[in-house]
């Protein structure tokens, strides 16, 4: 007999799953469509140093593939949400206390990161400093702290090492401006 079989119906009702919600699925479909359409628009705006020759791939190719795929999937999700009854969500937990606050804080941290990153470089004490490595490391450390990670060693090592990897690969080797 498994643990699930051993629990009484009263115990199972104490923590029911999230209820099915057709409006939530429709809203998610619209949000996904809006996000992917925005991404598609931004992908079309990528500046090209030179046009690709026939049969070659330019800088817009993969972002466009991802964007078009996202739009198609979003349309499919929206169509399913509108035409079919809502899926049962018994396997999902209800929203836990602090969950909404964490999502809002995550969006705020990401917004601050984007705003700071858009500075590009700053002059501090006569030295030109790249903003991306510092902002990215602080972003990761802040998100790890927000979601419960408390070991200082890994709060420093992980963000610094991932940021260094991204900066070396994209900024130095591929020469993509960060």
């Amino acid at each position: 007999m498994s643990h699930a079989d051993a629990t009484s119906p009263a115990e199972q009702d104490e923590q029911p799953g999230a209820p099915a919600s057709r409006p939530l699925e429709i809203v998610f479909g619209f949000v996904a469509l809006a996000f992917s359409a925005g991404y598609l628009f931004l992908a079309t705006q990528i500046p090209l140093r030179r046009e690709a020759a026939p049969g070659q791939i330019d800088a817009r190719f993969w972002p466009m593939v991802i964007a078009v795929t996202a739009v198609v999937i979003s349309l499919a999700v929206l169509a399913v949400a509108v035409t079919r009854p809502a899926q049962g969500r018994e396997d999902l937990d209800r929203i836990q206390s602090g969950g909404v606050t964490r999502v809002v804080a995550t969006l705020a941290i990401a917004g601050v990161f984007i705003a700071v990153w858009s500075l590009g470089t700053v002059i501090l004490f006569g030295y030109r400093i790249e903003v991306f490595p510092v902002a990215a490391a602080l972003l990761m450390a802040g998100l790890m702290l927000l979601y419960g990670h408390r070991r200082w060693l890994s709060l420093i090592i992980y963000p610094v090492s991932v940021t260094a990897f991204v900066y070396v690969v994209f900024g130095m080797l591929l020469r993509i401006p960060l």
Side-chain angles (χ1 to χ4, degrees), residues 109-110 112-114 116-117 129-146 149 151-168 178:
I109 290 170
V112 169
F113 168 73
I114 291 168
V116 170
W117 184 16
I129 299 172
E130 292 283 334
V131 173
F132 174 77
V134 176
L138 290 175
L139 167 79
M140 282 186 269
L143 289 176
M144 289 174 66
L145 197 59
L146 177 65
H149 209 285
R151 291 183 48 214
W152 283 103
L153 188 61
S154 57
L155 280 173
I156 294 169
I157 291 174
Y158 177 74
V160 169
S161 61
V162 169
T163 299
F165 175 77
V166 169
Y167 185 74
V168 167
L178 299 173

Side-chain angles (χ1 to χ4, degrees), residues 5 31 34 38 42 72 80 87 121 123 125 128 131 141 152 158 164 169 173:
D5 296 337
V31 169
L42 291 174
V72 169
V80 167
Q87 294 276 334
T121 60
I123 307 283
F125 303 115
R128 184 175 154 249
V131 173
W152 283 103
Y158 177 74
V169 170
L173 295 176

Side-chain angles (χ1 to χ4, degrees), residues 95-109 146-147:
I95 294 176
Q96 297 179 2
S97 64
V100 173
T101 305
R102 282 188 180 150
V103 169
V104 170
T106 299
L107 293 173
I109 290 170
L146 177 65
Y147 285 94

Side-chain angles (χ1 to χ4, degrees), residues 12-21 89-100:
Q12 290 176 349
D13 287 338
E14 289 176 17
Q15 297 179 352
S21 176
R89 302 185 312 155
E90 295 82 25
D91 57 334
L92 299 178
D93 293 332
R94 290 192 174 272
I95 294 176
Q96 297 179 2
S97 64
V100 173

